[in-house]
Amino acid sequence: MGRRKKRALVNVDEVVEFFNNIMVEKPYLPLLIPLILIFWAIEKWFFSLSNWVPLVLAVWATVQYGNYQHRIVVEDLNKKWKRVILSTSPTTPLEHCEWLNKLLMEIWPNYMNPKLSLRFQSIVEKRLKHRKSRLIEKLELLEFSLGSCPPCLGLQGTRWSTSGDQRVMRLGFDWDTTDISIMLLAKVAKPFFGTAKIVINSLHIKGDLLLMPILDGKAILYSFISTPEVRITVAFGSGGSQSLPATELPGVSSWLVKLLTDTLAKTMVEPRRQCFSLPPVDLRKKAVGGIIYVTVKSASKLSRSSLRGSPSRRQPSFAVDGLQERFDDNHLQTFVEVELGELTRRTDVRPGSNPQWDSTFNMVLHDSAGAVRFHLYERTPGSVKYDYLASCEVKIKYVSDDSTTFWAVGPDSGVIARHSEFCGKEVEMVLPFEGVNAGELAVRLVVKEWQFSDGSLSFNKFRASSQPSLNGSSNFLSRTGRKINVTIVEGKDLITKDKFGKCNPYIKLQYGKALQKTRTAHSINPTWNQKFEFDEIGGGEYLKIKCYTEEVFGDDSIGSARVSLEGLVEGSVRDVWVPLEKVNSGELRIQIEAIIIDDCEGSRGSSTGNGWIELVLIEARDLIAADLRGTSDPYVRVQYGNLKRRTKVMYKTLNPKWHQTLEFPDDGSPLELHVKDHNAVLPTSSIGDCVVEYQRLPPNEMSDKWIPLQGVKRGEIHVQVTRKVPELQKRASLDPEPSLTKAHRISSQMKQMMIKLQSLVEDSNLEGLPTSLSELETLQDMQEEYMVQLEMEQMLLLNKIKELGQEILNSPPSLSRRSSGS
């Protein structure tokens, strides 16, 4: 019964389609209706036509239906024939490439080797940061050179063929060289110790390349047909002091081969293709990042049976199953996840086999090239589970003539390529999903700006670059020459992990070794307007941003981001919205400004190199209770760079008073205070922390302030901080006690404390152990502080000697003779 209904439905559909086709191809058909009425009138009032008119109509309808079926068959055959012709078209005659290899031999040593070595060196360094062997804790690239022996191309000749509308060259690639020089310094992981040098001295890569010219010759796509054969020869050498013997580390050679093979397979094996641009103009700019707006418009021809699972695993479909399948496709609920590096965003869920999203996302690219991936998911009704369906991707690359190239894999492994001559030009692409037989995704991409290493920005063809530097060189100064002001303005659409929708976000900033933290807000769209200052660091150091939400049982991460501070120009503020990575929503508005510190201001804001920081921890008030009895045993752990100090423990109080003075050499490191609750047996618990700002203090002027503690509901700490710019006599007078006497005093006190601890253990006096241990820790801190003081005095003395020597060298000769004569 179901099959009969299916056949009836199919017949009705065919009849409707037939008449629709007749109306399109026979536009005069409506004129036949009045003509039929005239014939009817003639038959009714003059003479009968009923004997032959039905026969004529039947013949005419039969002829039209036959023509319609014939046309369908012809179109289908034409499509199949075109597909066969384009896929199996005869290739061009075999062309030998001896001339190409001779040319490559001439230009490789002095031109291609330096350029390719520099390019691949940066790629290898990035790759080694993310992929390490289990035996290696840290890996550093010391030397990278591809040598003077170029690869051999097309030893068996080359041919051109056609795939779809795309011309393709197949070219053999064979690179067997022993002249390569790649040296790595490896720090071996536990249980081994020491370092070792890994030298790659030979390399063999063999495979077949595909070259595809696109965009009318403006670029060439290249890839391997299949994963190439890779062989590497590795030698091991000493790595300096505490080095391993020159023996092979187990598994390192095979790990390097696997690393190179996986990298090639993920980036240069069909259908993954790389792009080599051939711009008419080279502006010699190095792009270090960009801002891209990605719009997911719609999808079409989605089918659950085609997108999920392989054909061999699908059940055979009958007519009724086909109707059910068509019904299911119309009830699909899908969304798209957009991925660029570690940044991901999701669209809303839309129903149907042709969903419309029109969702736009702000994405950040941290290099001159990248890939935007689109993952299609299905949401199961009544469940929180998402089913992966298919993926596709678009690759983006900056071209040195200030344009942008986009390319993707097209239908039947073809090529989809677009070219944007300037920033701000929209590019639309319809992408087939990879590895499936159905489904297309329509997207739109806009590069809003490219950021360059010289500080200039490429906007659009109506806006020129913002203050480009001369000769294409970077105009940022040395580490101590400039300051970077970073203002965390606001955030929007932050995610919340609280079931009631509450969010208490705060931001942690890291630039080099400097750490800063904002106050805690109480909204998913918070406003901070907090300004932080950092010393500028060269070498492409990123500003790392981490966003957290404050919770009762521990803070949760709600996203992170990286911002390039390379090429900042004085006098201009970079105001950007930075999307958060590793989450589905959330952006931060940040203002970045580079400023030059003059001599007068620099003496206030930067470290002098021969001064010290004097920190007086006076008291705290209204601390939280960490013990069950409603009190705490607070002490302060101070961290200044790699130096750590602590105060004595004040027992059973929420308003402790320490009145303790600590000193640190002034090197510009962040000064962090961590208030802890002391426990003799259990681990110590945190009752708040804060950062003491001292970098902008005037020399030798004390700042007295109460600082609220972060990470807790209440609590403040009272400190006095001073940036000391010393005179040697003043510094020596700070501690009237002779150094030798102080050293003997600390040593004797520690010996007495050890004897006291031993007697308490022998007497099983457990009550006095916590107090004695705390006193011993205080003595150890005093000893460490004394050692730092000695090192600081040594540094001050050496600096003073250098200054006196410099004054003598710079003094006029007459003054020198006068002084010697007297």
Side-chain angles (χ1 to χ4, degrees):
M1 185 66 183
R3 292 189 178 181
R4 291 179 181 176
K5 289 185 177 180
K6 170 64 178 175
R7 291 173 183 170
L9 288 174
V10 170
N11 292 334
V12 171
D13 291 340
E14 290 183 356
V15 171
V16 172
E17 187 177 358
F18 166 67
F19 279 109
N20 289 334
N21 187 269
I22 291 295
M23 294 297 294
V24 172
E25 295 198 356
K26 307 292 183 180
Y28 53 84
L29 186 60
L31 299 177
L32 293 177
I33 297 176
L35 189 60
I36 292 174
L37 292 176
I38 293 174
F39 279 121
W40 176 77
I42 292 174
E43 180 184 13
K44 186 172 182 65
W45 289 301
F46 296 98
F47 56 89
S48 177
L49 300 174
S50 57
N51 294 329
W52 56 273
V53 169
L55 180 61
V56 171
L57 291 175
V59 171
W60 177 80
T62 303
V63 172
Q64 292 297 327
Y65 183 74
N67 292 335
Y68 169 71
Q69 292 292 337
H70 179 264
R71 187 165 52 257
I72 291 178
V73 173
V74 169
E75 289 178 356
D76 187 51
L77 288 176
N78 285 337
K79 289 181 181 179
K80 292 181 179 179
W81 177 250
K82 184 178 180 180
R83 191 180 303 117
V84 171
I85 289 297
L86 292 177
S87 300
T88 62
S89 60
T91 59
T92 59
L94 187 68
E95 301 178 17
H96 296 284
C97 297
E98 288 86 355
W99 64 271
L100 179 59
N101 291 307
K102 290 180 180 179
L103 177 63
L104 198 58
M105 287 288 293
E106 294 294 330
I107 66 175
W108 178 269
N110 298 323
Y111 179 75
M112 297 192 68
N113 177 34
K115 286 184 172 292
L116 292 179
S117 296
L118 188 63
R119 173 61 179 164
F120 284 113
Q121 180 177 356
S122 61
I123 297 176
V124 170
E125 287 178 340
K126 292 179 182 179
R127 193 69 178 170
L128 290 178
K129 288 181 180 179
H130 299 91
R131 296 285 298 273
K132 289 184 292 187
S133 173
R134 294 181 179 178
L135 294 176
I136 297 175
E137 179 181 344
K138 184 179 180 181
L139 204 58
E140 180 182 355
L141 184 62
L142 299 180
E143 181 183 341
F144 192 96
S145 175
L146 297 178
S148 59
C149 181
C152 296
L153 303 176
L155 291 179
Q156 305 300 324
T158 181
R159 296 178 185 272
W160 284 94
S161 61
T162 303
S163 176
D165 297 331
Q166 179 66 49
R167 297 283 290 171
V168 180
M169 174 188 280
R170 180 165 180 166
L171 187 69
F173 181 90
D174 192 350
W175 193 12
D176 191 358
T177 176
T178 58
D179 193 35
I180 195 171
S181 178
I182 302 176
M183 185 179 297
L184 306 171
L185 179 62
K187 181 179 179 182
V188 185
K190 295 180 180 180
F192 303 101
F193 297 96
T195 59
K197 287 184 179 179
I198 304 173
V199 181
I200 301 176
N201 49 28
S202 72
L203 175 65
H204 185 203
I205 301 177
K206 185 177 181 179
D208 289 327
L209 281 175
L210 291 182
L211 305 181
M212 306 177 189
I214 60 173
L215 300 173
D216 298 326
K218 295 178 182 178
I220 297 176
L221 299 182
Y222 58 93
S223 61
F224 284 101
I225 297 177
S226 58
T227 304
E229 175 187 352
V230 177
R231 292 200 304 271
I232 293 177
T233 302
V234 178
F236 297 86
S238 61
S241 61
Q242 298 181 353
S243 61
L244 294 176
T247 57
E248 181 174 355
L249 295 175
V252 172
S253 180
S254 59
W255 167 72
L256 288 172
V257 172
K258 185 177 184 301
L259 178 62
L260 180 56
T261 304
D262 291 347
T263 302
L264 291 174
K266 292 179 180 179
T267 58
M268 281 185 58
V269 176
E270 280 291 306
R272 311 295 178 199
R273 298 156 183 166
Q274 295 296 316
C275 180
F276 181 75
S277 301
L278 300 170
V281 179
D282 189 354
L283 300 180
R284 299 188 181 278
K285 288 185 177 181
K286 179 185 177 183
V288 295
I291 298 177
I292 302 169
Y293 283 8
V294 180
T295 301
V296 181
K297 297 176 63 179
S298 62
S300 60
K301 305 176 184 177
L302 299 185
S303 172
R304 181 180 281 108
S305 60
S306 299
L307 292 173
R308 184 186 299 167
S310 61
S312 60
R313 295 173 61 183
R314 297 188 197 120
Q315 299 296 328
S317 65
F318 301 99
V320 176
D321 297 333
L323 283 176
Q324 181 65 33
E325 183 178 303
R326 185 183 303 176
F327 174 80
D328 291 342
D329 292 342
N330 291 330
H331 286 76
L332 274 172
Q333 293 188 353
T334 54
F335 66 91
V336 175
E337 182 181 73
V338 185
E339 176 186 354
L340 177 58
E342 296 183 353
L343 180 61
T344 58
R345 289 293 180 268
R346 288 182 180 179
T347 66
D348 296 329
V349 178
R350 292 288 186 266
S353 59
N354 299 293
Q356 299 280 337
W357 290 288
D358 290 320
S359 299
T360 302
F361 306 105
N362 177 18
M363 315 290 281
V364 175
L365 184 63
H366 296 294
D367 204 343
S368 60
V372 182
R373 291 194 61 83
F374 302 91
H375 306 285
L376 181 67
Y377 291 89
E378 179 188 5
R379 190 187 72 174
T380 305
S383 173
V384 296
K385 182 180 178 181
Y386 301 118
D387 294 329
Y388 169 79
L389 297 179
S391 295
C392 56
E393 73 173 14
V394 176
K395 291 190 176 181
I396 306 169
K397 183 178 181 181
Y398 172 77
V399 186
S400 56
D401 63 349
D402 220 10
S403 61
T404 308
T405 299
F406 305 83
W407 73 95
V409 178
D412 300 324
S413 298
V415 178
I416 302 175
R418 300 288 186 270
H419 186 245
S420 175
E421 292 81 7
F422 51 86
C423 290
K425 181 181 178 180
E426 295 182 350
V427 169
E428 295 191 358
M429 307 176 77
V430 179
L431 310 172
F433 288 107
E434 300 173 2
V436 295
N437 299 323
E440 293 178 334
L441 184 68
V443 299
R444 181 171 62 246
L445 301 101
V446 183
V447 177
K448 286 297 182 180
E449 71 174 37
W450 284 108
Q451 302 167 3
F452 302 102
S453 59
D454 64 353
S456 59
L457 302 175
S458 178
F459 295 103
N460 54 49
K461 70 175 183 177
F462 302 108
R463 293 177 60 186
S465 322
S466 173
Q467 300 184 15
S469 60
L470 298 177
N471 301 324
S473 62
S474 174
N475 59 351
F476 61 78
L477 304 180
S478 61
R479 178 187 297 265
T480 57
R482 293 202 316 183
K483 296 284 185 178
I484 304 295
N485 288 338
V486 178
T487 303
I488 306 296
V489 183
E490 58 182 321
K492 67 178 181 181
D493 300 331
L494 302 183
I495 66 171
T496 175
K497 296 186 177 181
D498 186 84
K499 62 180 180 180
F500 300 107
K502 296 181 180 179
C503 185
N504 303 311
Y506 65 91
I507 306 297
K508 285 186 177 181
L509 304 176
Q510 180 178 358
Y511 184 57
K513 294 183 179 180
L515 299 172
Q516 298 286 1
K517 178 183 175 183
T518 68
R519 62 177 177 271
T520 302
H522 303 282
S523 171
I524 61 174
N525 299 301
T527 300
W528 288 284
N529 284 320
Q530 281 188 261
K531 187 175 182 179
F532 303 96
E533 185 179 80
F534 301 93
D535 291 319
E536 187 178 45
I537 302 174
E541 184 73 20
Y542 281 92
L543 173 67
K544 299 176 182 178
I545 303 171
K546 295 183 179 180
C547 189
Y548 295 90
T549 178
E550 196 174 88
E551 302 293 343
V552 177
F553 299 105
D555 298 346
D556 293 330
S557 174
I558 55 174
S560 61
R562 294 181 301 157
V563 179
S564 174
L565 302 185
E566 195 172 358
L568 292 175
V569 180
E570 300 89 1
S572 63
V573 179
R574 182 185 295 178
D575 193 329
V576 294
W577 281 94
V578 180
L580 295 176
E581 301 175 351
K582 301 179 182 179
V583 288
N584 296 324
S585 67
E587 293 183 66
L588 297 176
R589 185 186 173 193
I590 300 177
Q591 293 177 348
I592 307 169
E593 182 183 12
I595 57 175
I596 297 180
I597 306 299
D598 54 19
D599 294 338
C600 177
E601 191 177 3
S603 64
R604 298 170 50 136
S606 59
S607 59
T608 60
N610 59 352
W612 69 94
I613 304 299
E614 182 182 85
L615 175 67
V616 182
L617 296 164
I618 301 176
E619 58 182 327
R621 65 188 179 193
D622 198 22
L623 299 180
I624 64 172
D627 298 335
L628 296 177
R629 58 181 182 268
T631 61
S632 295
D633 303 326
Y635 69 95
V636 181
R637 182 170 62 83
V638 184
Q639 183 167 352
Y640 184 78
N642 295 326
L643 300 176
K644 295 181 180 180
R645 300 288 179 271
R646 56 174 289 175
T647 66
K648 57 195 174 199
V649 179
M650 306 304 296
Y651 292 96
K652 300 180 181 179
T653 178
L654 299 180
N655 301 287
K657 295 182 179 181
W658 294 284
H659 294 287
Q660 199 163 340
T661 302
L662 304 174
E663 293 181 351
F664 304 94
D666 187 3
D667 60 2
S669 299
L671 183 58
E672 301 176 7
L673 307 182
H674 303 275
V675 185
K676 303 283 186 178
D677 175 62
H678 177 77
N679 288 303
V681 180
L682 299 175
T684 59
S685 56
S686 174
I687 52 179
D689 51 62
C690 64
V691 176
V692 180
E693 301 288 346
Y694 69 92
Q695 290 88 348
R696 304 292 293 167
L697 292 177
N700 299 319
E701 291 187 17
M702 184 263 293
S703 174
D704 189 309
K705 49 188 170 183
W706 284 89
I707 304 176
L709 297 177
Q710 301 288 331
V712 288
K713 295 181 179 179
R714 65 177 186 272
E716 294 179 289
I717 188 169
H718 185 197
V719 300
Q720 293 176 348
V721 60
T722 309
R723 287 185 60 249
K724 296 286 188 177
V725 177
E727 292 292 335
L728 190 61
Q729 296 83 357
K730 294 181 181 179
R731 183 66 186 91
S733 64
L734 287 177
D735 191 0
E737 184 179 9
S739 300
L740 187 61
T741 305
K742 185 175 182 179
H744 284 303
R745 180 174 59 81
I746 295 175
S747 178
S748 62
Q749 288 178 353
M750 292 187 69
K751 288 180 180 178
Q752 294 175 4
M753 187 57 60
M754 292 298 295
I755 295 173
K756 182 179 179 181
L757 282 173
Q758 186 176 1
S759 63
L760 289 174
V761 171
E762 291 176 353
D763 298 340
S764 301
N765 186 3
L766 300 181
E767 295 181 357
L769 277 178
T771 305
S772 300
L773 287 174
S774 177
E775 293 177 358
L776 182 61
E777 290 176 354
T778 303
L779 288 173
Q780 290 177 344
D781 292 338
M782 289 176 58
Q783 186 181 27
E784 292 180 1
E785 183 180 352
Y786 175 65
M787 295 301 297
V788 172
Q789 177 183 341
L790 291 178
E791 294 175 357
M792 189 162 49
E793 289 182 353
Q794 180 185 8
M795 179 186 66
L796 294 173
L797 182 61
L798 292 175
N799 289 335
K800 194 65 179 179
I801 293 173
K802 289 180 182 179
E803 291 177 3
L804 291 174
Q806 192 68 29
E807 289 180 3
I808 295 173
L809 292 175
N810 295 335
S811 62
S814 59
L815 183 61
S816 301
R817 286 195 299 268
R818 191 178 305 170
S819 60
S820 61
S822 61

